[in-house]
Structures are given as structure tokens and as C-alpha cells.
């Protein structure tokens, strides 16, 4: 099925139809990719320490498991550079189809791995390699999905359209948590033996669905126009670092206000709750589902408000909420009272969700069309590499100080740095004229 279209002859109705397709493709495709990415995080907290990093010290096993988790984050900037080049040279759509396939195949292969006891150290090496592939694919996914949806956005809806990529994150968390929770329920004691494989193997079905949807989307009007006018950058990755080094740094810092609290309040919280507080695993994964629903609603409303008022103001509000919740989150969580645990995680995610809503459009608006895929991907994914140490760092801080206070301070510092960074971000020249009308 060909998706080549003449953008200049599109009616308003046809343009809106293509915009909806782009939004759906961003939502579904990114949901599938993040499903795989988050699934690894949940299993790194619940299953992988004993399965792939066996030893006498649970603390060391958990650190090693989260180190494998971090490999995916470290790979994301590399994926951003690689796919950013092709996204700005060949096209947004074709690149996104490739990232989707890479993520899905890597996840399926993780589900087929034998345990350490069966295969030895080579199995652990393969786990880390497949995690690297996941991160490499995710590195090109986010920026391309954001750019495709934002460049197709109708006037005055750039924030909301960009949030289609953002809202995919909590939907994926809801989906992965739901599948894990259902699998725990169905397999019982066998979950840690073979049941954990099921959620990974399910991902290949989701990838096929996403592949079909993405094939039906046309490339953005901006990329098509640049290609026709021969305005494509020959070295987009080099050019974006050369022309926008300060912007890249500011985007890295700005993204901390979403990534750091998200991984502390989800991935680390699962490990902390199950290992330190002895809270039932299924209760925690069910709570993640509630948290996901809360974040979906917050992201969409925050994105809508960013179109109506001001993106930066909405971002500041979200970062401040995280600062205010940094200590109360653990106070409530440590009670081990079911209602208060759910309340803690639900309230804490509001800050990250409010930041995440306008973040996609905010970042995309900082780069010109010819460098937008590379700039958006690199800035966000370099930040992700920093954010990825959060679960591992939190385990270290908790074990070293025997207190969650240093973790709360970490959350506050990350949020304040992000506020300063966003205050200094500026739109790219001719940004509004460059976007779809």
C-alpha cells in the first residue's frame, strides 16, 4: 500500500484525516515500543535478579539486574543518533517502522532465553545484548514519533498532538503491568520459573499490529517539502550539535523532570515495595495500573492546557508538584497501608505527567525542520541515559544511608534543574511558519 501523497493539493478534510492517522500511528507504535521497554524494568525488579544474576547477596543481584536495565538507557542516545540521521535524510515513517521491528524482535528473544543455571554466563550476556537492542530502537522511536505527530498537527493543537507520543508511555505501563499481573495470577508459583516469558512473547503480536498501522501513514508535509526543495541536511547529527549545542544541553536537563520521578515512582517503587517493605508483588503491579490511568488523564489535560495557555508554565507546575511530593511519597508508601500506597503513587505521578504533556511539543519547537528528528531524539535520549541510572542509584542510596531521604533530595534537584533549563529554552527561528497550518 503506497502512502505517497501530494501535500499541496490536500483539502482541509484530507489534512485532518492524515493528522489523525499520524496521531494514531504515534500512539499505537510508541505504546508497543514502551510496553517492551517497561516490561524489562518490571521484570528487572521482580524476576531477573534470581534468574540471570544468581548469588548469595540479593542486594548485589538487584544492582546487577538494574545495571542491565541501564544498558537500555545507555543505548538510547546511540539509537537517537543512528535513526535521527535516517529520519532527517530518508523520512520519518520508514525509520519508525524499523525501530518498531527492532524492539519487538529483541523482546521476543528475551522471552526465549534459558535461565543462568541452564545456559551459564552466555545467557546473561545475551540478555544484556537484547536489552541494548531495545534501547537502540527506543532511541530512534520517541523523537520520530513526536516529530511525525507534531508536524502533522493542526494549528493550535501542537501540544495535544505531541502528547499522543507521551500518553503512549502510561498506556504501555498500564498494558505491561496488566499483562504481568494477569500472568502472575494465572501462573502462580510458576511465574518465576516460566510464566514471566509470556508477556515478552506477546509483544510480537503487538508489533505486527503496529507495523500494519504505521505502514498506512504518509510522511509529514515538512519533510516532503524539504526533500522536494533539496533542503535536507547531509549530516544532521553533526549539524545539530554544531548549531544547537546549548539547546541540546537544555533539553537534556529539562527532560529530567519527567524521567527521574517516573522511574523512581514506578520501577524503583516496585523493587522497594516488594523487597524492603514485603508488599505483595501483584498488589504493586495492580497499583501501577491505577497510576497509569492517572498519568494518562494528566498528560492529556496538561497538553491541552499547554495549547490554550503557555507550555512553559504548565511544565513549571508539574516540576513543582514533584518537588512537593518528594518526601511525602515515601512517608505514605512506608505505612504499607494499601490505600495510602496507592494514594502515594497516584499523587506522585501527577508531577511527571504534567511535565510530560507539553514536553514533546516544547522540545520539537526548539529545532528547525531539517534537524528536528535528530535534535529532538538526541536531546531527549541523552537525558534518558542520565535518567536510566535512577533505579540503580536509588538502590545504592537506600543501602548506603538506610534512608529514603537522599532519594527525595535527588528528585528535588532534578526537578529544579529542569525548571531552570526550560526557562532558557527558545523556539527555533521560523518555527510557527514551518509547521503545518
Amino acid at each position: 500500500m503506497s502512502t505517497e501523497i501530494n501535500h499541496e493539493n490536500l483539502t482541509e478534510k484530507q489534512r485532518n484525516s492524515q493528522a489523525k492517522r499520524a496521531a494514531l500511528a504515534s500512539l499505537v507504535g510508541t505504546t508497543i515500543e514502551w510496553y517492551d521497554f517497561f516490561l524489562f524494568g518490571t521484570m528487572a525488579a521482580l524476576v531477573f535478579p534470581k534468574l540471570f544474576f544468581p548469588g548469595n547477596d540479593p542486594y548485589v543481584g538487584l544492582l546487577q539486574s538494574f545495571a542491565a536495565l541501564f544498558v537500555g538507557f545507555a543505548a538510547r542516545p546511540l539509537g537517537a543518533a543512528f535513526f535521527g540521521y535516517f529520519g532527517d535524510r530518508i523520512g520519518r515513517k520508514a525509520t519508525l517502522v524499523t525501530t518498531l521491528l527492532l524492539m519487538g524482535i529483541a523482546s521476543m528473544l528475551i522471552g526465549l532465553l534459558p535461565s543462568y543455571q541452564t545456559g551459564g554466563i552466555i545467557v546473561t550476556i545475551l540478555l544484556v545484548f537484547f536489552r541494548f537492542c531495545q534501547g537502540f530502537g527506543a532511541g530512534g522511536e520517541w523523537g520520530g514519533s513526536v516529530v511525525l505527530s507534531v508536524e502533522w498537527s493542526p494549528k493550535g493543537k501542537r501540544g495535544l498532538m505531541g502528547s499522543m507520543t507521551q500518553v503512549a508511555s502510561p498506556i504501555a505501563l498500564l498494558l505491561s503491568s496488566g499483562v504481568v499481573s494477569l500472568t502472575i495470577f494465572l501462573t502462580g508459583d510458576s511465574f518465576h520459573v516460566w510464566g514471566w516469558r509470556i508477556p515478552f512473547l506477546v509483544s510480537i503480536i503487538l508489533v505486527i499490529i503496529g507495523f500494519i498501522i504505521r505502514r498506512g501513514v504518509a510522511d509529514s508535509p515538512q519533510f516532503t517539502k524539504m526533500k522536494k526543495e533539496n533542503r535536507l541536511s547531509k549530516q544532521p547529527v553533526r549539524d545539530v550539535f554544531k548549531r544547537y549545542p546549548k539547546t541540546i544541553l537544555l533539553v537534556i536537563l529539562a527532560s529530567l523532570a519527567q524521567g527521574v520521578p517516573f522511574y523512581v515512582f514506578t520501577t524503583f517503587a516496585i523493587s522497594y515495595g516488594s523487597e524492603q517493605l514485603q508488599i505483595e508483588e501483584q498488589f504493586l503491579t495492580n497499583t501501577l495500573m491505577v497510576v497509569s490511568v492517572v498519568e494518562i488523564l494528566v498528560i492529556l489535560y496538561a497538553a491541552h492546557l499547554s495549547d490554550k495557555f503557555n507550555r512553559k508554565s504548565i511544565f513549571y507546575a508539574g516540576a513543582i508538584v514533584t518537588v512537593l511530593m518528594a518526601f511525602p511519597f515515601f512517608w505514605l508508601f512506608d505505612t504499607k497501608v494499601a490505600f495510602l500506597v496507592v494514594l502515594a503513587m497516584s499523587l506522585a505521578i501527577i508531577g511527571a505527567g504534567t511535565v510530560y504533556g507539553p514536553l514533546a511539543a516544547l522540545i520539537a519547537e526548539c529545532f528547525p525542520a531539517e534537524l528536528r528528528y535528530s535534535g529532538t531524539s538526541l536531546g531527549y535520549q541523552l537525558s534518558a541515559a542520565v535518567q536510566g541510572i535512577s533505579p540503580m542509584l536509588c538502590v545504592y542510596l537506600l543501602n548506603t544511608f538506610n534512608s529514603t531521604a537522599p532519594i527525595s533530595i535527588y528528585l528535588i534537584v532534578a526537578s529544579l534543574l529542569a525548571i531552570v533549563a526550560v526557562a532558557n529554552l527558545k523556539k527555533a527561528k521560523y518555527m510557527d511558519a514551518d509547521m503545518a497550518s
Side-chain angles (χ1 to χ4, degrees), residues 66-76 128-129 131-133 135-136:
F66 280 156
L69 176 70
F70 173 70
V71 168
F73 290 92
R76 283 168 65 173
V128 174
F129 173 71
R131 177 57 178 174
F132 178 89
C133 292
F136 198 76

Side-chain angles (χ1 to χ4, degrees), residues 265 320-330 332 343-344 347-348 411:
F265 296 143
I320 291 170
V321 168
T322 296
V323 170
L324 295 176
M325 279 300 301
F327 280 96
F329 170 77
F330 288 105
L332 292 170
L343 182 65
L347 290 177
L411 286 163

Side-chain angles (χ1 to χ4, degrees), residues 181-251:
S181 184
L182 179 62
T183 305
I184 292 174
F185 175 75
L186 293 176
T187 61
D189 294 337
S190 298
F191 174 74
H192 288 266
V193 181
W194 57 265
W196 67 271
R197 301 177 185 278
I198 296 174
F200 284 103
L201 298 177
V202 164
S203 69
I204 198 64
I205 300 173
L206 300 177
V207 166
I208 293 172
I209 295 171
F211 177 76
I212 293 171
I213 292 174
R214 279 199 166 161
R215 284 197 64 193
V217 180
D219 233 323
S220 73
Q222 285 68 45
F223 180 81
T224 303
K225 183 179 180 181
M226 286 190 303
K227 189 174 182 180
K228 184 178 180 180
E229 297 174 353
N230 197 28
R231 290 195 293 119
L232 300 177
S233 171
K234 293 182 179 180
Q235 295 291 336
V237 176
R238 180 199 64 187
D239 290 345
V240 79
F241 275 116
K242 185 177 179 179
R243 291 169 54 185
Y244 294 92
K246 180 181 177 182
T247 303
I248 292 286
L249 176 60
L250 292 176
V251 169

